[in-house]
Amino acid sequence: MPPAVMSVAITQQQGQLLLDFSQKLDISLLDNVVGCLYNGEGQSQRVAQNILTALKEHPDSWTRVDTILEYSQNQQTKYYALQILENVIKTRWKVLPRNQCDGIKKYIVALIIKTSSDASQSEREKTYLGKLNMILVQILKQDWPKNWPSFIGDIVGASRTNEPLCQNNMIILKLLSEEVFDFSQDQMTQVKAKHLKESMCNEFSEIFKLCQFVLDNSQNAPLVNSTLNTLLCFLNWIPLGYIFETELVNQLIYKFLNLPMFRNVTLKCITEIAGVSTCDKCNDQLISLFTLTMQQLKQMLPATVDMKSAYANGSDTEQNFIQNLALFICIYLKEHGQLIESEELRPSLMEALDYLVKISEVEEVEIFKICLEYWYSLCSDLYRENPFTSSSSSVTCAPIVANATPTRRQIYLEMLSRVRLVMISRMAKPEEVLVVENEQGEVVREFMKDTDSINLYKNMRETLVYLTHIDALDTERIMTEKLHNQVNGTEWSWKNLNTLCWAIGSISGAMHEEDEKRFLVTVIRDLLGLCEQKRGKDNKAIIASNIMYVVGQYPRFLRAHWRFLKTVVNKLFEFMHETHDGVQDMACDTFIKIAQKCRRHFVQMQGGEVMPFIEEILSNISSIICDLQPQQVQTFYEAVGYMISAQTDNVVQEHLIEKYMHLPNQVWDGIIQKATQDVDILRDATTVRQLGTILKTNVRAVKSVGHPFVLQLGRIYLDMLNVYKCLSENISAAITQNGDVIMRQTLIKSMRTVKKETLKLISGWVSRSADTAMVAENFVPPLLEAVLIDYKSNVPAAREPEVLSTIATIVNKLEGEITKEIPQIFDAVFECTLDMINKDFEEFPEYRTNFFLLLQAVNNHCFPALLSIPQPQFKLVLDSVIWAFKHTMRNVANTGLNILYQLLQNITQVDTAAQKFYQMYFTDILQHVFSVGTDTSHTAGLTMHASILAYMFSLVENNKITVPLHQDQPDNYTFVQEYVANLLKTAFSHLQNAQIKLFVKGLFSLNHDIPQFKGHLRDFLIQIKEFAGEDTSDLFLEEREQALRKADEDKRRVQQSVPGILNPHDVSIEMQD
């Protein structure tokens, strides 16, 4: 029983008594402090927290753990004592005298035996015992096998004496297995993890005999359950002989699978066996595993059972069993499915597939994902055995195809038809759909993207595409029937119509073109009919949303059928006047997609037309967009820009651009004319807001039109820069008069928007420009004149971070051509920006990012300019790079590291400057890179740290540095060795000299091989962290990210080879149009 909440307040003086290690520990006082922490409040709770933290951090606190555990009456106090002990084992075990280590070890073992030998006590003190077990495993990671070679023999021997003790020992063995085989990568050096794995495998026979003994003889259900859970943990690494050359499999299937209390863990064990990597010699045993398990399952779950309702009405364990059954079938069939496709074993295969189709109908998304993964795997395999041929339509060759169905496909055809129905009925919502039904049954606009739902949609979509390739006629039949049932009302509901249309949209490109045309004409005709037939705004909004989604998904069909494309676009223009939530947004989004994929068709003269459709759109533009919001108008303008970009005749294109920008230019010209007569008009809120909107429209237009937009940009360029200067003066004057607080005023915010959009427009055009000479001669000089002085002289809060990103864009575009302007640019923006961002790592985040992107651009393209600036300024540049890679903002730190790596390589090319650079900065840089490389908050940059250090050490090793780096030591190799060793010894005093010497030696001998060098660096970091008691899981962050990137790239390559797998809007224009 924990003591009652203390009525007396805990004081700091009482805390001092606990921290006085010359006095006997006052257990009741400690219990009171812990009680106050958990049950007190306010000041006394804070004091208790401070006392306990100070006691925990005291280097001798662990010497009091045994007293606390023996005499304290409070479980929370005991738990606190164990935390102290765990901390010591993780961080200071290596530096404790051996006799003290052995003492702690014996004490913990005795405590575990005492607590776990009595079943009722171990159940009562479950959390406390769990912590003791974890501490023992931490000791084992340090001591076993070298300093505790008899551990496995000891634990197995002790287990045969007492069942409750045996049950707890099973938990310890399970924890040890998890630490060594599942979590070791993040928490141990590579050598240590390998050694522990080998020790575990070598001594496994003892453990296996113990498990076998329990399973054969024990009648104690909790012990058997614990043993099965431990065994489950071992199955993925033990030698195969223990699985297939013993009675284990038969015992699991016949003795435990049909017992309700053990069936879940047993099925998990069987699933684990199904998933292990085996050789062909084990095929017979694997077939036997499957057929015997299926026989047992048939008795437990008759074929007639309705999985959907069984799951909905089942208890937790029954629901878990259905999930485990899905996992077993999916993993077995994915790994070894082809073993049971033979004629005599096929009935078992069909029974398993029947179970899986029924489980796929269960209304639980996590279970559905398990099934989906297998269906995807099966369908993609069947497809790859006989890939799509884009020859003739399935209608003309249907009889041939029927006879030519590959034999392996024939096995699955009937089941896959049922799977198609499930996929179409359950299709997830695509990202493009914005009109949804909410939980209250209302039709609304969706604002939040649900990434889980989007990923599910992608996986279902790809599976359905493969299913369509395997049998397009069946897919079409199911979809057509379900659509007719929508029209005749037998299946009409928003949900049914949505899932059906999402499924129809998802198979774009998977049918032969002729089939797709016939199918789509039916679909669109039925949907338009449905739109006319249904009454009510909500019904119409749902149907409109589905029409837009379906047509947007079939650009190939639209490109081939001009009349249809024109009808669809006119329908979208109608929807742009429909004010129901989300419909206008979706109309604009669909319009831009169609414009991107069918752009050429709008600027060509089509048969039966009097002019290209683009002319018609531009003539009616004001009536089309009159009901749209400003951001929707901007999307519309970007869409039309894609059409104009497809016009190859320059004269015609110029005429289109003039007509296209006529509306915004009319308003612009009016404002400029008024401003010429009275500049105060630029202080009027409505006028400034209009300017912002016009510029935003221009920004979206340049994004799609590209370089030819120079016609429009040139028309407004100088006026725009004058407006920029004028608004800047207005902002500065307002700040001078009222202070920084004025920045929050709406008018000032609108003025800054105009400045931002001006810069965005310029950098948007420059990045797309095809004529660098024109940019350098006509656009850069007036721009620099307008923005540089303004940036330098403004108060920090009023500077625009876009100035930095715009100049970076120009440098990246013009490269060496702008080198001569760099001193002028640096003079204006460098020191004043650095002064804003060098006080801390958080303030002005946008300026930080853009500042370092500009520095990176200059370093990459205009390096001679950096060498020509005065020495103090160059040192400032280098200091800023070092400052960058010390950031915890990952993007800034990565940019800083990339700049430094490139700078070191650039300087090597200019030998005269290089030697002076090395002499002044080499050791400084080395020290700073080591300081971030060994800092726990910077492990994400490990690859770059390794690359930079390896490059620097190779410079020393290959005598590329000819000047002495230290006046007292002419040999640079020896100097750097000693310098780094001293640096590390000072920073990490707990490390042995031998450890540091070995580490420094590796820095030289491994610098030619980055992966090895990086592993060497990581092992060193683990040694540091073991002492500091920190989590080491982040040391593999980069590997995990890289593996994910590679997997994505590989997947993309495979997808590109399958028609219809990529969403039509993810396919590049060249491939499509």
Side-chain angles (χ1 to χ4, degrees), residues 637 657-672 694 698 709 711-713 715-716:
Y637 262 84
I657 291 172
E658 277 177 27
K659 200 169 174 184
Y660 168 58
M661 297 309 292
H662 175 69
L663 273 182
N665 283 344
Q666 256 187 322
V667 185
W668 174 269
D669 292 345
I671 293 171
I672 297 297
I694 294 166
N698 275 273
F709 199 74
L711 176 78
Q712 164 68 7
L713 185 63
R715 182 185 187 284
I716 64 171

Side-chain angles (χ1 to χ4, degrees), residues 10-12 32-38 42-54:
I10 297 293
T11 66
Q12 205 64 52
N32 288 343
V33 174
V34 173
C36 188
L37 175 71
Y38 284 99
Q43 181 60 26
S44 76
Q45 190 180 42
R46 277 193 294 278
V47 171
Q49 172 75 63
N50 294 339
I51 293 168
L52 293 173
T53 304

Side-chain angles (χ1 to χ4, degrees), residues 634 664 667-668 670-671 674 681 684-698 750 754:
Q634 286 144 25
V667 185
W668 174 269
I671 293 171
K674 284 181 191 166
I681 192 82
D684 171 62
T686 312
T687 305
V688 175
R689 205 164 42 248
Q690 273 183 315
L691 284 172
T693 306
I694 294 166
L695 287 170
K696 280 178 181 172
T697 305
N698 275 273
S750 299
V754 173

Side-chain angles (χ1 to χ4, degrees), residues 861-881:
H861 304 299
C862 312
F863 188 67
L866 286 183
L867 292 180
S868 67
I869 60 178
Q871 190 62 40
Q873 215 172 353
F874 182 81
K875 179 160 182 356
L876 208 55
V877 170
L878 189 61
D879 287 346
S880 71
V881 174

Side-chain angles (χ1 to χ4, degrees), residues 600-695:
R600 279 188 301 116
H601 299 265
F602 293 96
V603 292
Q604 291 167 339
M605 178 67 84
Q606 301 290 344
E609 302 285 349
V610 292
M611 57 180 161
F613 193 45
I614 183 72
E615 294 280 3
E616 203 176 308
I617 293 173
L618 294 177
S619 300
N620 300 319
I621 203 161
S622 54
S623 60
I624 295 171
I625 64 174
C626 62
D627 288 325
L628 298 177
Q629 297 300 311
Q631 73 272 22
Q632 293 163 341
V633 170
Q634 286 144 25
T635 303
F636 181 88
Y637 262 84
E638 187 186 330
V640 176
Y642 287 117
M643 300 173 185
I644 293 173
S645 73
Q647 177 53 264
T648 48
D649 183 321
N650 290 349
V651 177
V652 177
Q653 192 178 46
E654 285 181 8
H655 150 76
L656 290 176
I657 291 172
E658 277 177 27
K659 200 169 174 184
Y660 168 58
M661 297 309 292
H662 175 69
L663 273 182
N665 283 344
Q666 256 187 322
V667 185
W668 174 269
D669 292 345
I671 293 171
I672 297 297
Q673 218 171 345
K674 284 181 191 166
T676 316
Q677 290 154 9
D678 176 13
V679 78
D680 281 350
I681 192 82
L682 295 180
R683 294 172 194 270
D684 171 62
T686 312
T687 305
V688 175
R689 205 164 42 248
Q690 273 183 315
L691 284 172
T693 306
I694 294 166
L695 287 170

